Structures are given as C-alpha cells and as structure tokens.
Amino acid sequence: MLSKVLSATLLGIDAYLVEVEVDIANRGLPHFSIVGLPDAAVKESKDRVRAALKNVGFNFPLRPITVNLAPAGLKKEGSSFDLPIAVGLIASEGVIEPGSLEGFLLTGELSLDGRLKPVRGALSIALLARELGLKVILPEDNASEASVVKEVSVFGVRSLPEVVEFLNGVKSLSPSNTDVKLAMIENSVYEEDFSDVKGQEHAKRALEVAASGGHNVLMIGPPGAGKTMLSKRLPTILPPMTFQEALETTRVHSVLGLLGERQPILATRPFRSPHHTISDIALIGGGQVLRPGEVSIAHNGVLFLDELPEFRRNVLEVLRQPLENGEVTVSRAVASVTYPAHFMLVAAMNPCPCGYFGDPRHQCTCTSGQIHRYRAKVSGPLLDRIDIHIEVPAVPYKDLSTEASGEKSADIRARVIKARKIQLERFKKDKIYSNGQMKARHIKKYCKLKPDAQSLLETAMQRLGLSARAYTRILKLSRTIADLEGSEDILPHHVSEAVQYRTLDRGEF
C-alpha cells in the first residue's frame, strides 16, 4: 500500500516542501531503502524508525519497503524525516485513517523509545507551512519557536503514539500559541552595560556615532585598553530589534541550532567574535554541507574581529561582498544559496606587533619595517569600508579607581534611536536605512556643507593630507553627528569631530 506524507527540508535558511512517499510491496524479500538524494543522517532514519515502531507497539512490516523523498533532485539532510517516514509506514499498514494526513506537514527526529526530539529550522518550516496553507506537527520543544509565525496552526507533540492518536481523532490537541510581544520583551535583555566601562569617553562617543549611523569601526590601541569590552557593549546601544529583524535573525540561528532551549525568538542583537584562525568558509558560509557563516550569524548585530592583522588576508577579503551588499551568495556544484549578512563590523588591532607603539608607559621594541608589514596586512579595500578609525589608549589609574559609573546604555540608546528616526525618514524612498549605507548620490544630496564648514574641511584636507576616501567618510560621519544633535545643516563643529575619527588617514599611527 502506498501512503504520502508532507514534510520539509532546509536549503540555506529556507525550507522546501518534500513529499515522503512510502510503499510497502506484498511480495519480495524484506528490505528498507530510502531514495531521493538522502544524506547519511536521512539514511540512518530506517534504523531509528524500525526500533521506535517496535518499542511503542506498532508493527514493523517485514516486506520490501521503499521510501521516496520527492523532489528527487533536491538534497535531503538531517534527522527531521524520522517522523514522516514512521507515520507513512503506519499509514501504509492501515492504522491511520485515509485522508487524515491531508493538510498536515510533519517533521521531527525519533528516539528509539518513540519520543520526539527537536529539529533545526522549525521557524523556516512554519513560514513554509503558512505560505502553503498547511498545519504543522512537530516536536513539543520546537512548538514555541514555530508558533511565532501567526496564521498557521502548530501542534507540538511528545511521542509517535501521540501523533497517531491525534491524526485518528482519538486525542485532541490545541495549537501552540506564543505571545510575540511578551517573548520580544523577555528576550531583549542584555547582560552588559556601558556604565561598566571606566574612562574612554572619546571611544564611547565614537561608538555612539557609529551606532547612530550604522558605521563600521576600527579601534587601535595597546593590549588591555578595553577594546573588546567596548565592542561587547555596542549592541546594547543599537536600536531595539523590530519583529521583522528578530524573525530574520532567529531563522539563521534556528537553522544552525543556536537558539536556547524553548527560546521562541532572538530579540537581542547578536555579537559574534570569531578567532583569528577562522577559515574563509567558516566566516562567510558554505562547506560540503551548506551552512551560514559568522557574518550571517551576526546578521542585524555586530561582528567583532579582534587582532585584525592576524586574520589571513584571504579571510578578510571575503568580507567585501557582505559589507557592500548586506548579503552573501555561496555557490557550489549542488546549489547556490544566499544568506543575509547585514551587520556592523567592529575591528580591533594593536598599533604594532608588540602592541606598545606610542604608549608612554611602555617602550616599543618593533622596527619601522615590522610596523609597516604589520599594518599592511589590512588591505586598502577593507579599510575603504570602515568609516571610523579611533585610538583607544590605556586607561589611567585614576579612571580605573573611581567609584563613579559612566553613562548607562539606555541613555545612549535613546539618543541613537532619535538619530535613526531622522535617517529612516530621510531615506524612506531610497531603500537604505542609515547614513553608513549612503552611496555617492546620497552623499551629494544629503551632505551639503555650508561655506564655513566647507572651508574647514578644505583646510583639514590640505594640512593633514587626507585622501578622497577620507573625504567621503568625513561627510557621512558629519551627517550622523548632525543628526545626533537634531541639526538639519552640517556645521563646522560636526566636521571637526568627524575628522577626529579618521586616525589612520591623519597619519598619527
């Protein structure tokens, strides 16, 4: 007898419909084969399904069994086909009433005692079900995540017998319901706060400007100056995530299995800090089994690269596309997948190999050639995409020992939100969201300088020998600083502050 069960597979962060066809022949030697480009985890389903069926009291047919995962040309991965295969076998034996499977999409991993274990990508599967008008049956641990998607009925179940009873109408289940507003509030709490940082007022101000305009940042300073501490607190002053942003970010984390236990949605902006030994594939995504990389895990958040010159050059060069387009396309022989990758880049580096060039308290032991080679590891094209270069000096003892706490993240965030609202109104017809995304035509339109500000910038360009690259970056930063003040015009003091955020162009290091 032939039965059909609807399920789904993941490709990238999207779910695709798969029809699980189960046929049990009346004649022939017993065998169990799965076809339709299954990977190793899918092929192993037959052993889990066989044991689960026997251990919960269902008959396992000792006849030729063929399972087809259609479409056959789409590669199937993971253990989420255990449940639909098991239900298909039970339906082929006539235990489940004909027609009761219509309108349902099933996914879940089976343990040997028939319990259902959570699977990756439940949110993407729920979005697919909503698009196709289907109801979803999945493990109970995934129910809160999947029910974030409204207009789709999600049924969380604990075991295989419970699924069969529900499909046969013996047991009734209520659709899972997640209070999205409450979940957003509960999951939007940060552990760090800017008030923890002692001193470094100049660096704090630079990060406030960066957060307000979505600008990438490079911090230069000796070891122990607080570069990492400052970077970890940057997400706390970024605007709160919208529901759409949270949905996009949660999809990436769900596909990789990074969501917390029973965490329905990710409402804090991600902070990712990969080690400098990371490969280009791990950073950008891909691999033999296509997976999102660090740039996509940091989507809508912050990607922090500590010890920037220590990263391999080919690793840094792959950052160009996501920094430019906010997404990354990975092409392989089996498929081409596009992942979202809209993040703020925060990089940190020492001024020289030993770390103490320019530090009044330590003597630098590096030669000029060593310093030049060290800084040359960071390419010009990458620096072109970083608007703010700031010095982060060592913190004096008097700042470390003070009892007074700095400004809280909530107060800084209020100013950032106000500046972002101005930008959203400004760019509502331009399909960009912040000053950091401005192209040449936007700069020409929105960054016009008054004569006194123009004169100041001209003087700075000539005396400091600034490049054309620095000129456009200064204009963008000036626009953001003006937005923070609520000023429609870019004034001279806005320009002078912006010039201070171009440390490398000023030749100070």
Side-chain angles (χ1 to χ4, degrees):
M1 182 177 175
L2 176 68
S3 64
K4 296 181 180 180
V5 183
L6 295 182
S7 188
T9 189
L10 298 172
L11 182 60
I13 63 169
D14 295 316
Y16 293 86
L17 188 68
V18 174
E19 192 173 67
V20 181
E21 301 174 317
V22 180
D23 178 68
I24 303 177
N26 292 321
R27 296 179 181 179
L29 294 175
H31 71 86
F32 193 159
S33 62
I34 301 177
V35 297
L37 282 184
D39 73 347
V42 179
K43 290 178 181 178
E44 292 169 353
S45 289
K46 57 187 178 184
D47 297 315
R48 292 190 294 271
V49 169
R50 181 187 291 111
L53 288 175
K54 289 182 176 180
N55 288 330
V56 296
F58 290 110
N59 177 56
F60 182 81
L62 296 176
R63 287 179 287 169
I65 301 171
T66 303
V67 176
N68 179 43
L69 307 177
L74 183 64
K75 189 171 179 61
K76 319 303 185 304
E77 299 172 351
S79 57
S80 60
F81 292 103
D82 290 4
L83 178 61
I85 290 173
V87 170
L89 285 170
I90 295 171
S92 295
E93 289 282 275
V95 177
I96 295 178
E97 297 178 6
S100 60
L101 289 169
E102 291 183 8
F104 285 98
L105 187 154
L106 281 70
T107 184
E109 177 184 339
L110 280 174
S111 62
L112 300 187
D113 61 359
R115 289 180 296 108
L116 286 176
K117 296 182 178 180
V119 295
R120 296 181 291 106
L123 181 57
S124 296
I125 292 171
L127 289 168
L128 173 68
R130 183 178 67 178
E131 182 182 337
L132 299 176
L134 299 173
K135 302 174 184 177
V136 183
I137 298 176
L138 41 59
E140 188 179 47
D141 289 344
N142 291 124
S144 59
E145 174 192 339
S147 59
V148 166
V149 182
K150 300 304 177 184
E151 302 171 6
V152 60
S153 296
V154 175
F155 299 94
V157 290
R158 298 178 182 178
S159 64
L160 179 59
E162 189 176 357
V163 175
V164 176
E165 291 174 359
F166 172 65
L167 291 172
N168 284 332
V170 176
K171 182 175 183 177
S172 62
L173 294 175
S174 300
S176 298
N177 182 39
T178 297
D179 188 333
V180 176
K181 289 184 178 179
L182 180 61
M184 289 285 289
I185 294 171
E186 290 178 346
N187 290 278
S188 61
V189 180
Y190 293 93
E191 295 180 1
E192 294 85 7
D193 195 278
F194 256 96
S195 60
D196 302 330
V197 182
K198 303 287 188 178
Q200 303 293 13
E201 299 305 323
H202 175 65
K204 290 179 186 176
R205 170 64 179 176
L207 290 180
E208 180 181 341
V209 172
S212 299
H215 303 286
N216 299 319
V217 184
L218 173 61
M219 294 187 285
I220 309 161
K227 301 186 291 294
T228 302
M229 188 177 188
L230 285 163
S231 301
K232 284 184 176 180
R233 283 151 181 77
L234 179 58
T236 69
I237 64 172
L238 291 171
M241 292 181 79
T242 63
F243 175 68
Q244 188 60 37
E245 285 179 325
L247 207 60
E248 293 172 359
T249 308
T250 304
R251 286 180 70 189
V252 177
H253 286 243
S254 173
V255 164
L256 291 170
L258 297 178
L259 282 181
E261 187 176 352
R262 294 182 181 271
Q263 182 181 11
I265 197 165
L266 186 70
T268 54
R269 295 192 178 273
F271 177 85
R272 301 297 296 182
S273 180
H275 193 261
H276 60 76
T277 56
I278 191 172
S279 67
D280 52 349
I281 291 177
L283 184 65
I284 210 72
Q288 187 174 5
V289 177
L290 292 175
R291 291 284 184 270
E294 289 290 338
V295 295
S296 297
I297 303 174
H299 181 57
N300 289 322
V302 175
L303 178 67
F304 176 55
L305 302 183
D306 199 8
E307 303 294 345
L308 184 65
E310 301 299 332
F311 285 80
R312 291 193 292 273
R313 193 178 185 90
N314 67 305
V315 173
L316 294 179
E317 293 307 307
V318 298
L319 286 172
R320 293 193 199 180
Q321 185 196 6
L323 285 174
E324 195 71 26
N325 303 328
E327 62 183 22
V328 57
T329 301
V330 179
S331 297
R332 296 291 183 268
V334 291
S336 180
V337 177
T338 298
Y339 298 115
H342 184 265
F343 58 90
M344 278 185 65
L345 174 65
V346 180
M349 62 180 287
N350 296 330
C352 64
C354 78
Y356 295 111
F357 178 77
D359 190 339
R361 297 184 297 178
H362 297 84
Q363 183 177 358
C364 176
T365 59
C366 305
T367 65
S368 58
Q370 288 175 324
I371 296 173
H372 175 75
R373 286 191 296 273
Y374 179 75
R375 295 174 188 168
K377 292 180 180 179
V378 184
S379 69
L382 180 61
L383 287 176
D384 280 348
R385 292 163 174 81
I386 299 178
D387 293 342
I388 297 178
H389 311 153
I390 54 168
E391 179 187 1
V392 183
V395 184
Y397 175 76
K398 65 177 183 179
D399 289 338
L400 288 174
S401 60
T402 183
E403 293 294 330
S405 59
E407 193 174 18
K408 292 185 177 181
S409 292
D411 298 328
I412 303 174
R413 178 190 264 192
R415 297 194 295 269
V416 169
I417 293 172
K418 188 176 179 181
R420 284 289 185 109
K421 285 181 179 178
I422 294 173
Q423 293 164 53
L424 287 172
E425 180 64 25
R426 176 185 299 135
F427 300 126
K428 61 183 179 182
K429 296 181 181 179
D430 294 298
K431 296 183 179 180
I432 60 175
Y433 309 102
S434 64
N435 292 332
Q437 297 176 301
M438 286 194 292
K439 307 297 183 185
R441 61 187 179 90
H442 302 122
I443 294 173
K444 185 177 180 181
K445 182 177 180 181
Y446 300 116
C447 299
K448 295 178 181 178
L449 301 180
K450 296 294 184 181
D452 50 353
Q454 186 72 53
S455 176
L456 175 62
L457 181 54
E458 182 180 0
T459 302
M461 292 284 292
Q462 292 174 351
R463 291 188 179 179
L464 300 175
L466 300 179
S467 64
R469 175 182 67 203
Y471 173 75
T472 57
R473 296 296 183 268
I474 289 170
L475 287 179
K476 293 202 301 189
L477 290 172
S478 300
R479 180 68 271 169
T480 299
I481 295 167
D483 290 342
L484 273 169
E485 282 192 6
S487 173
E488 186 174 344
D489 297 324
I490 298 176
L491 304 176
H493 67 277
H494 301 147
V495 174
S496 63
E497 182 180 350
V499 170
Q500 310 223 6
Y501 298 139
R502 300 295 300 178
T503 295
L504 292 180
D505 291 318
R506 302 202 318 264
E508 295 188 1
F509 281 94

